[in-house]
Amino acid sequence: MNQNTKQIINLTKKLIRFESTHDNFRTRKKIIEFVYQEFAECDVYVREIIYKNVPSLIITLQKTKNPKLFLNGHLDVVPAEKNDFCPGIIGHKLCGRGSGDMKTACAVMIEIMKYFSKVKEKPNIGLILTTDEEVGGENGIGYLLKKAGYSSNCAIIPDGGTGLDTVVMAEKGIMHIRVWARGISAHGSRPFLGDNAVEKLMKIYFQIKKEIPDIKKNQWKNSLNIGKISGGGAINKVPDYAEMFLDIRLANEKERKIVLQKIKKITDNFEVLVNGFYFEQDMKNKYIQDYKKTAEKEMGKKIKFIRETGASDARFFCEKNIPVILTKIDSGNIHGQDEWVDISQIEKFYNILKKFIISL
Ligand SMILES: [Zn+2]
């Protein structure tokens, strides 16, 4: 392991120790300030922006909001047990919450920025780090790209795909909805006097499910998950209210309207909580092709273009027609216990980034 990789691992370990979850604003602010300090000695432009309780950091090598390339990552993580925030190394794996998603990749990008801040002719690149990807990204990268005037010709987000040998060409759209049903309460011994809201809601659910049936692992179709349901207060009472939260993933952007119409036919009692843009891009794009060539040379194998069911901040770039190189350092158990990243891939990713940036 070279000195550079050791430094990246050390930085990653420090980042993992921050419990930068959604409900922990102060820690998310602290991790952004920590990275700010990392650049204290560097000749770069750094800005911290807090929008709706979401701290973000923008580092550029030239004084611009529109560099050629933006590297982009998020420093927030999903909740975990206390000891998941204590990083550890087992064999070739660095473990801990955020190791795979995506503090190691952020550490690589921070070191890349430091490296290029010291070269004679600085490339026109930047790094954006946000802290709300896990809750939709709207006030982090969403705000910066849509309202704050930031953009670039191309972006790299190491937060998608299955490894460094993959680049994502499409991600499903998101629609999160809340559906509710009202009834009439009565004593549990006299259900004939009431109108059971839970029963009504269950019927609605199965009607929706008929429209969005279960799919198999590799089927590119709409999917439905009932993530949360509640209703009723006591076993001997007919409930007068019930609600459920549905996570619908869309196979393409047209499906959004179609699915909405289908649900409207079933019930009026629903609201859309989150709309996430469907992401698909033209992989013949010059930046993506150049990256592919660079990565293939470094990896010594073919890069595959894949489609992914999950969503990421890439969709905000896609909405602005900015090509995104969405890839990932090999990792596993993302969002689960014993999350890990393959440290043997760190150097490869660093080298790919370095060579790609030089070729820009
Ligand atoms: Zn992520």
Side-chain angles (χ1 to χ4, degrees):
M1 196 183 293
N2 65 23
Q3 197 52 37
N4 197 37
T5 306
K6 276 184 198 157
Q7 202 166 321
I8 291 167
I9 291 171
N10 273 335
L11 177 57
T12 306
K13 282 180 173 170
K14 286 180 192 165
L15 294 174
I16 290 173
R17 289 184 194 279
F18 287 89
E19 293 183 32
S20 48
T21 54
H22 171 62
D23 56 0
N24 214 336
F25 168 72
R26 283 181 61 186
T27 310
R28 284 186 289 115
K29 191 169 182 324
K30 269 188 198 155
I31 196 169
I32 286 293
E33 274 154 14
F34 168 80
V35 178
Y36 196 120
Q37 284 309 317
E38 281 288 304
F39 287 94
E41 315 266 276
C42 299
D43 185 17
V44 295
Y45 298 89
V46 194
R47 271 194 80 183
E48 189 196 339
I49 291 181
I50 301 177
Y51 181 73
K52 291 191 178 171
N53 277 339
V54 176
S56 299
L57 196 69
I58 305 118
I59 302 126
T60 53
L61 298 187
Q62 294 174 21
K63 201 179 179 190
T64 176
K65 280 185 171 183
N66 314 113
K68 232 180 197 177
L69 167 74
F70 259 132
L71 304 168
N72 174 225
H74 66 89
L75 289 170
D76 58 316
V77 292
V78 294
E81 301 284 326
K82 270 263 178 266
N83 58 359
D84 283 339
F85 293 98
C86 301
I89 293 179
I90 306 164
H92 64 99
K93 290 176 178 174
L94 170 59
C95 304
R97 171 58 83 239
S99 54
D101 182 21
M102 54 172 291
K103 286 175 168 173
T104 308
C106 287
V108 173
M109 296 191 290
I110 290 166
E111 291 302 326
I112 276 286
M113 289 301 288
K114 284 187 193 165
Y115 170 81
F116 280 106
S117 76
K118 288 175 197 131
V119 302
K120 235 187 191 166
E121 263 178 60
K122 288 182 198 155
N124 189 8
I125 61 167
L127 167 64
I128 297 180
L129 296 171
T130 63
T131 56
D132 73 334
E133 195 274 347
E134 299 294 357
V135 292
E138 199 63 53
N139 300 320
I141 199 68
Y143 166 74
L144 295 173
L145 294 181
K146 285 192 270 192
K147 293 179 186 152
Y150 288 90
S151 76
S152 58
N153 298 355
C154 142
I156 295 180
I157 308 182
D159 193 26
T162 53
L164 283 178
D165 57 349
T166 59
V167 174
V168 177
M169 53 181 173
E171 282 182 329
K172 282 187 178 177
I174 308 171
M175 192 160 67
H176 287 170
I177 64 169
R178 182 174 79 93
V179 188
W180 64 90
R182 289 186 200 281
I184 299 163
S185 72
H187 193 275
S189 65
R190 294 184 289 275
F192 42 83
L193 294 181
D195 181 16
N196 193 310
V198 168
E199 222 172 77
K200 269 179 154 174
L201 191 72
M202 279 161 60
K203 271 184 200 153
I204 293 170
Y205 172 70
F206 284 107
Q207 277 174 294
I208 295 175
K209 186 156 178 164
K210 226 178 179 179
E211 300 295 344
I212 315 171
D214 288 339
I215 60 167
K216 293 202 181 78
K217 197 180 167 193
N218 289 319
Q219 263 180 322
W220 194 259
K221 283 183 175 174
N222 299 341
S223 72
L224 168 71
N225 175 53
I226 174 165
K228 211 169 127 186
I229 183 165
S230 65
I235 192 165
N236 60 352
K237 220 179 129 187
V238 177
D240 62 355
Y241 183 79
E243 64 177 10
M244 61 182 171
F245 293 82
L246 304 180
D247 181 357
I248 297 164
R249 302 298 171 121
L250 306 162
N252 60 59
E253 197 48 41
K254 277 185 203 150
E255 285 296 323
R256 193 177 305 277
K257 229 176 148 185
I258 298 168
V259 169
L260 264 182
Q261 273 163 355
K262 282 179 180 169
I263 295 171
K264 262 183 201 153
K265 272 191 188 160
I266 296 165
T267 178
D268 285 326
N269 298 335
F270 75 94
E271 61 168 340
V272 177
L273 303 170
V274 175
N275 264 322
F277 199 72
Y278 170 76
F279 163 84
E280 184 169 10
Q281 56 182 352
D282 179 10
M283 302 308 270
K284 287 191 209 89
N285 176 277
K286 187 187 170 296
Y287 291 106
I288 296 174
Q289 285 297 325
D290 284 354
Y291 179 91
K292 183 175 184 272
K293 268 178 228 148
T294 308
E296 281 177 346
K297 234 182 179 177
E298 183 64 32
M299 306 280 296
K301 61 172 166 176
K302 282 269 171 233
I303 302 294
K304 289 172 283 188
F305 292 156
I306 61 166
R307 298 199 283 186
E308 219 175 33
T309 54
S312 74
D313 273 351
R315 66 179 187 275
F316 294 102
F317 286 92
C318 180
E319 256 184 287
K320 289 198 77 176
N321 284 319
I322 299 168
V324 181
I325 293 143
L326 183 56
T327 183
K328 193 185 222 108
I329 304 175
D330 301 46
S331 52
N333 296 349
I334 304 291
H335 292 197
Q337 238 180 5
D338 305 319
E339 183 176 335
W340 58 269
V341 69
D342 184 345
I343 49 179
S344 71
Q345 301 289 305
I346 289 175
E347 199 184 332
K348 284 203 177 87
F349 183 50
Y350 183 90
N351 290 340
I352 293 168
L353 283 185
K354 195 164 145 185
K355 284 175 187 160
F356 177 70
I357 290 166
I358 290 170
S359 79
L360 275 175

